[in-house]
Amino acid sequence: MSGNTSMTQRIEDKLASGIALDHLEVINESGGHNVPADSQTHFKVVLVSDEFVDKRLLARHRQVNELLAAELAQGVHALAIHTYTPHEWRERFGAAPLSPPCQGVREKNPED
Amino acid sequence: MSEEIVATIKGQIESNPILLYMKGSPQAPQCGFSAQTVQCLIACGQRFAYVDILSHPEIRATLPTYANWPTFPQLYVDGELIGGCDIVTEMFEAGELEPLIKEAADAVEEG
């Protein structure tokens, strides 16, 4: 982690600098998982952008994963990604799906 | 990346038309994202293959680089990466997953 910047802030900055966003949510979901308190390991990101128009989900997710490659390599263990065009976002009434509950055992080396 | 492990991964992806790399097994998933993906696949009603990456650390270490996809689970259909839990779930809810899976399974039966 770099200095006092939280991982949430880092993720927000990276995504905002790489994609022209209408809407962005970065949620630290680590609390629901079998990791120490105050962990910054499990995140959910919700992005709404015109850039996603005519782009398949796989390509959208690759774009997000690539922007966050350093964070995924440095402690972010799980990343739920929800990407929408402005039209898709309006059709969902501005709500992204919930992440599934953790079923994991605590792993010795969760940084994959 | 070890060439031997890459060859193993390629072989798995090529020889299994519906293949899920996951944490744990379909009966005992070890991660909520893997569990949810399995539920979507089971609901499609076709047999599928899986690899438990917790039991195969060498595959867990190599597949993200090989596939250019950093997280698990990863679903492959007919040799192509479909995506992880979020994509599989979204496709399932949109009614797009079941025909894709069925087509892959039917091709095997006819083959």
Side-chain angles (χ1 to χ4, degrees), chain A residues 100-105 107, chain B residues 23-24 28-36 72-73:
Chain A
C102 179
Q103 306 203 351
V105 291
E107 293 180 45
Chain B
K23 292 184 176 177
Q30 298 295 313
C31 154
F33 297 101
S34 287
Q36 184 168 309
F72 293 97

Side-chain angles (χ1 to χ4, degrees), chain B:
Chain B
M1 281 194 291
S2 147
E3 282 178 25
E4 196 183 326
I5 295 160
V6 169
T8 301
I9 290 170
K10 275 188 185 168
Q12 290 170 337
I13 293 173
E14 280 167 16
S15 56
N16 294 286
I18 307 164
L19 174 63
L20 182 66
Y21 288 93
M22 64 178 291
K23 292 184 176 177
S25 66
Q27 293 73 28
Q30 298 295 313
C31 154
F33 297 101
S34 287
Q36 184 168 309
T37 307
V38 161
Q39 286 309 313
C40 292
L41 275 179
I42 289 174
C44 291
Q46 307 294 335
R47 287 172 60 89
F48 61 93
Y50 77 95
V51 175
D52 174 7
I53 55 139
L54 297 179
S55 309
H56 297 279
E58 71 289 356
I59 288 176
R60 180 183 189 170
T62 301
L63 183 56
T65 310
Y66 171 73
N68 186 24
W69 194 264
T71 51
F72 293 97
Q74 296 185 15
L75 175 66
Y76 290 81
V77 175
D78 288 333
E80 265 191 55
L81 176 63
I82 301 302
C85 174
D86 303 315
I87 291 180
V88 170
T89 303
E90 197 164 322
M91 289 178 72
F92 177 69
E93 287 173 352
E96 293 167 8
L97 186 67
E98 193 174 348
L100 179 79
I101 296 291
K102 189 166 188 312
E103 199 174 312
D106 287 351
V108 175
E109 279 176 22
E110 286 163 13

Side-chain angles (χ1 to χ4, degrees), chain A residues 46-112:
Chain A
V46 183
L47 302 93
V48 181
S49 173
D50 267 330
E51 289 185 31
F52 296 142
V53 174
D54 294 330
K55 207 180 248 188
R56 292 176 58 204
L57 285 176
L58 194 79
R60 298 179 190 184
H61 284 227
R62 275 204 204 283
Q63 191 178 358
V64 172
N65 282 327
E66 278 161 18
L67 287 170
L68 299 179
E71 288 67 28
L72 283 160
Q74 295 166 22
V76 173
H77 167 66
L79 183 65
I81 302 173
H82 302 287
T83 54
Y84 305 102
T85 64
H87 177 72
E88 289 165 348
W89 185 240
R90 277 194 298 277
E91 288 202 324
R92 294 190 61 93
F93 305 105
L98 298 175
S99 293
C102 179
Q103 306 203 351
V105 291
R106 185 179 290 202
E107 293 180 45
K108 282 187 188 140
N109 179 22
E111 285 83 24
D112 59 330

